[in-house]
Amino acid sequence: MLKHASVAFICIPVLLPAALLRIEVSERSDVQDGKAFASAGAYERIVGKAYFGVDPNLPANKIIADIARAPRNADGLVEFSADFDCMKPRDPGHGNHAVLFEVSNRGFKGMPGTFGDDFPMEQGYTLVWLGWEFDVPPGPALLHLYAPVAQGITGLVRAEITPDHRDTRRSLGDRSQLAYPVLNPDDNALTLTVRDHPDSARQAVAREAWHIEAGTHIVMPAGFEPGKIYELVYTSKDPPIVGLGPAAVRDLISFLKYGIAADTILGDHHDIIKRAYGFGISQSGRFLRTFVYYGFNQDEQGRRVFDGMMVHVAGAGRGSFNHRFAQASRDGHPFLNTFYPTDIFPFTDLAETDAETGITDGLLTHATPPAAVPKIFYTNTSYEYYGRSASLIHTTIDGAKDAPIAPTTRIYFLTGCQHGPGRFPPERWDAQNLENPNNYRWTLRALLVALDRWVKDGEEPPPSRYPKIADGSLTTLRAVAFPKLPGVQFPTRIQQAWHVDYGEEFRSAGIVTIEPPKVGSAFPMRLPQVDADGNETAGIRMPATAVPLATYTGWNLRSAAIGAPDELYSMTGSFIPFARTKAERVQAGDPRLSVEERYADKQAYLDKVQTAAGDLVKARYLLEGDVPLVVARASAEWDLVMK
């Protein structure tokens, strides 16, 4: 727990030149009552607000969409602010001299739970968070960006609603995020459409059947039908300067690494902080891919910002983080948030040429000079191949062969896992199968250690492990040799990345003029191949898949109760246990060997788990200290399956 200190509202100045103007601290407190975290010692938490002022005339800031339309102060700077949160060693000299910055996901902090609450502090990191998203709803636990707006500008906004239940009132924003208000809510020309699938024809809903409420919600008294895609395109005005979010992250990290010595909240941080790592999960991982694409990883003086990045479960996506009327929360899934500018070319770090458009581009070759390129770990689960176009980050644009990987990049496939590890014991939720509980968090801990050693000491990290076309471990949907299991349907529809046209000004100026966009051909998707059990063969195989008690997939289908049962259930995999005995297997018609046919008893199973875990330790995909946790989890899974 945090022990709160009684502090007054503090304003701590930061000396210029810096785009970070000051940090105002509202709270300082002990972390876990002053507990000592290994050699780093006790930690303190610092909460407040960071204030920024950027010169719109500098080349580093001209990459911010609509920056020229933002209001300026008397010094010609565009001012904005963001919520700030930090946990650091009380004696910074006892830390590891590195910042671990998590890009918050829709205002939330997920890093402690991902690595284990204490692990980053036991490693000595200074943990930092900053609000970067303008549409985060109010809430003291959430991190917000407070951005100015471009006054007088109007433009198109597209709201998509995919209900799982027969609601009568829905926000025009994504999930709980704030919506852009409808400029003319009573306009009879507004058209709400509905369709069955992303690629189905749109049908208009009678105008008298729905109306706009408070400018930001749509009401349909008869109820929205579950398992349908509803869409409304409307005009709004005064868009916030969304690209100030990545600029804020850039300028805060730059200050922590290069800031002028001053009596600041982190002490003489310019002597303490030597390295900075960006970590992002899902939306936040897509943020980091977008961050390097636009060139935000070099500061106003051209210096590298993040030295390394862990881009987790982002698939091949980027996102709406730097264009006019951007909806930063909108992502891209098989049946959720379709055709938003998420899975758009380019997908690979190195440049490729899209034969259909003739455009040559790459994430690291678009606007990031070699000196500003960070070392990058891409980690994706099976779900990202079915639901987030992950194969596109390492195949050629035509899907015909494996693409070259940048020397500063490593790609790790977390075999047989879903977007985020499911609860244990697993539950079914609104899907056809139990969710996938395969826990990959221990591998992320090992990879964080490896990334730091790569940056700090030049020690080569563990080699990339991902499915490849060349060895047959990456294939087409039709060629996946998934076994015919009783009561289990293999997907026939997966997420697709498309050639999408948002208008002539989108690529050059970040202005959308076509909504819904014109959709062209799909890019070829590739999927990991499986063995006779339905478990994938390539990647980092945790003991759950190396010594299996079940089939672990990254896909699951929607239940009939919520509609569209042939579509994937977003971000969820499947846990399909083996039969306990041969007799049960034969009776069920299950082609997979039963548990008793594989293992003599529980101890024989756990011995194999111990060996598999040891192999991962030798390969540096698992830490020695985490092996007992892996074995304990395996023991619990045995008990669950054998009930």
Side-chain angles (χ1 to χ4, degrees):
M1 62 177 293
L2 296 175
K3 181 179 179 182
H4 295 276
S6 297
V7 295
F9 188 79
I10 303 172
C11 176
I12 301 176
V14 173
L15 301 183
L16 295 175
L20 175 65
L21 302 178
R22 67 189 187 279
I23 295 176
E24 295 179 351
V25 176
S26 56
E27 175 190 326
R28 300 186 78 137
S29 53
D30 293 332
V31 175
Q32 296 188 29
D33 294 322
K35 170 185 174 180
F37 296 95
S39 61
Y43 268 66
E44 67 171 331
R45 182 186 180 198
I46 302 166
V47 178
K49 185 177 287 188
Y51 292 82
F52 302 86
V54 296
D55 183 347
N57 297 314
L58 292 178
N61 296 324
K62 288 185 177 181
I63 63 177
I64 302 169
D66 279 335
I67 189 66
R69 306 294 295 269
R72 308 182 188 190
N73 65 14
D75 296 320
L77 303 180
V78 176
E79 291 193 73
F80 56 102
S81 62
D83 295 327
F84 171 84
D85 202 329
C86 170
M87 291 194 292
K88 73 172 189 68
R90 280 206 170 273
D91 183 344
H94 288 170
N96 71 350
H97 307 290
V99 163
L100 183 56
F101 176 85
E102 182 191 13
V103 182
S104 62
N105 188 308
R106 297 172 177 85
F108 290 95
K109 297 185 291 184
M111 182 163 56
T114 299
F115 292 112
D117 288 346
D118 294 349
F119 182 79
M121 291 180 285
E122 290 169 349
Q123 298 293 306
Y125 283 102
T126 293
L127 308 180
V128 179
W129 295 266
L130 186 76
W132 63 269
E133 187 178 340
F134 82 95
D135 59 352
V136 172
L142 300 177
L143 297 161
H144 306 78
L145 173 75
Y146 308 96
V149 303
Q151 291 283 350
I153 292 179
T154 60
L156 295 178
V157 177
R158 178 166 57 94
E160 183 183 283
I161 299 168
T162 308
D164 290 343
H165 307 283
R166 191 172 285 277
D167 303 324
T168 59
R169 183 178 185 270
R170 295 293 297 258
S171 170
L172 294 174
D174 182 43
R175 287 164 269 200
S176 63
Q177 308 307 97
L178 302 178
Y180 287 101
V182 179
L183 185 59
N184 298 305
D186 297 324
D187 185 355
N188 287 329
L190 290 174
T191 302
L192 178 69
T193 65
V194 63
R195 63 192 194 275
D196 293 330
H197 298 289
D199 51 357
S200 299
R202 294 171 172 86
Q203 303 294 326
V205 179
R207 185 65 175 87
E208 62 271 17
W210 58 275
H211 64 273
I212 303 298
E213 182 179 275
T216 57
H217 287 71
I218 185 167
V219 176
M220 185 181 293
F224 295 93
E225 186 175 349
K228 303 289 186 180
I229 301 174
Y230 292 86
E231 187 177 77
L232 179 72
V233 177
Y234 60 92
T235 299
S236 191
K237 66 177 298 186
D238 299 341
I241 311 299
V242 176
L244 291 174
V249 172
R250 174 197 68 190
D251 294 338
L252 175 66
I253 300 303
S254 174
F255 171 73
L256 295 178
K257 288 180 64 179
Y258 308 115
I260 298 172
D263 181 19
T264 71
I265 59 173
L266 297 183
D268 289 334
H269 60 278
H270 69 299
D271 289 332
I272 299 299
I273 301 300
K274 303 297 184 184
R275 307 177 305 284
Y277 304 121
F279 175 65
I281 305 170
S282 191
Q283 178 208 36
S284 309
R286 292 185 293 105
F287 175 99
L288 291 173
R289 285 172 57 84
T290 308
F291 191 87
V292 295
Y293 177 73
Y294 281 109
F296 284 106
N297 206 49
Q298 55 180 339
D299 67 10
E300 291 183 344
Q301 285 73 49
R303 299 167 299 194
R304 185 170 60 210
V305 178
F306 288 114
D307 302 286
M309 292 180 175
M310 288 188 69
V311 179
H312 182 50
V313 293
R318 287 187 276 132
S320 301
F321 312 131
N322 187 31
H323 66 82
R324 184 179 293 179
F325 288 107
Q327 299 179 73
S329 181
R330 300 281 185 183
D331 38 20
H333 296 280
F335 200 60
L336 174 70
N337 285 336
T338 60
F339 304 132
Y340 286 92
T342 297
D343 296 303
I344 56 177
F345 179 83
F347 307 102
T348 54
D349 284 353
L350 301 179
E352 288 194 297
T353 300
D354 181 1
E356 183 167 315
T357 63
I359 296 173
T360 298
D361 208 353
L363 290 189
L364 299 181
T365 60
H366 178 81
T368 304
V373 171
K375 292 177 166 60
I376 301 175
F377 283 1
Y378 291 122
T379 52
N380 286 295
T381 72
S382 175
Y383 175 79
E384 283 71 58
Y385 283 81
Y386 284 84
R388 292 304 339 278
S389 309
S391 65
L392 290 173
I393 72 172
H394 55 75
T395 63
T396 53
I397 200 68
D398 59 3
K401 58 184 179 180
D402 303 306
I405 305 301
T408 51
T409 292
R410 299 292 183 272
I411 299 175
Y412 302 108
F413 172 46
L414 304 170
T415 311
C417 297
Q418 69 176 35
H419 193 67
R423 296 184 182 184
F424 185 81
E427 300 181 34
R428 198 174 304 274
W429 301 107
D430 287 325
Q432 294 182 19
N433 308 316
L434 292 171
E435 63 178 335
N436 186 342
N438 197 354
N439 193 345
Y440 56 70
R441 293 185 178 97
W442 298 299
T443 289
L444 294 185
R445 288 152 69 109
L447 292 179
L448 178 61
V449 171
L451 179 62
D452 187 47
R453 290 175 178 172
W454 192 17
V455 172
K456 181 179 65 172
D457 304 322
E459 178 182 328
E460 280 291 313
S464 296
R465 279 195 186 181
Y466 58 92
K468 297 180 180 179
I469 294 172
D471 62 12
S473 59
L474 190 69
T475 189
T476 63
L477 174 64
R478 290 186 177 183
V480 175
F482 194 80
K484 293 183 178 180
L485 303 181
V488 176
Q489 299 295 321
F490 185 72
T492 58
R493 302 178 63 87
I494 63 172
Q495 196 267 350
Q496 295 275 83
W498 303 81
H499 288 87
V500 185
D501 182 5
Y502 300 97
E504 294 183 357
E505 295 182 276
F506 179 74
R507 183 175 174 84
S508 61
I511 301 173
V512 174
T513 55
I514 302 176
E515 281 287 19
K518 297 178 182 177
V519 179
S521 63
F523 294 96
M525 297 293 108
R526 298 293 179 258
L527 301 170
Q529 187 56 278
V530 300
D531 60 19
D533 292 326
N535 285 318
E536 292 150 338
T537 58
I540 301 174
R541 291 164 63 95
M542 294 299 293
T545 43
V547 189
L549 295 169
T551 298
Y552 299 84
T553 79
W555 53 264
N556 206 331
L557 297 179
R558 293 166 59 91
S559 72
I562 64 170
D566 58 340
E567 292 281 1
L568 293 186
Y569 189 67
S570 289
M571 296 176 278
T572 303
S574 299
F575 173 71
I576 311 168
F578 299 150
R580 294 173 296 180
T581 66
K582 180 179 179 180
E584 289 180 354
R585 174 177 71 82
V586 172
Q587 183 179 13
D590 191 334
R592 304 168 300 169
L593 292 178
S594 65
V595 175
E596 74 168 10
E597 291 175 284
R598 297 166 185 266
Y599 314 109
D601 54 26
K602 181 177 181 180
Q603 189 56 53
Y605 163 71
L606 293 179
D607 289 344
K608 289 180 178 291
V609 168
Q610 184 84 32
T611 299
D615 291 341
L616 290 176
V617 171
K618 292 175 185 176
R620 294 181 292 149
Y621 300 113
L622 186 67
L623 299 176
E624 180 73 39
D626 286 335
V627 172
L629 300 176
V630 173
V631 175
R633 174 58 176 271
S635 176
E637 291 201 14
W638 173 281
D639 294 342
L640 174 71
V641 171
M642 297 303 287
K643 278 184 180 178

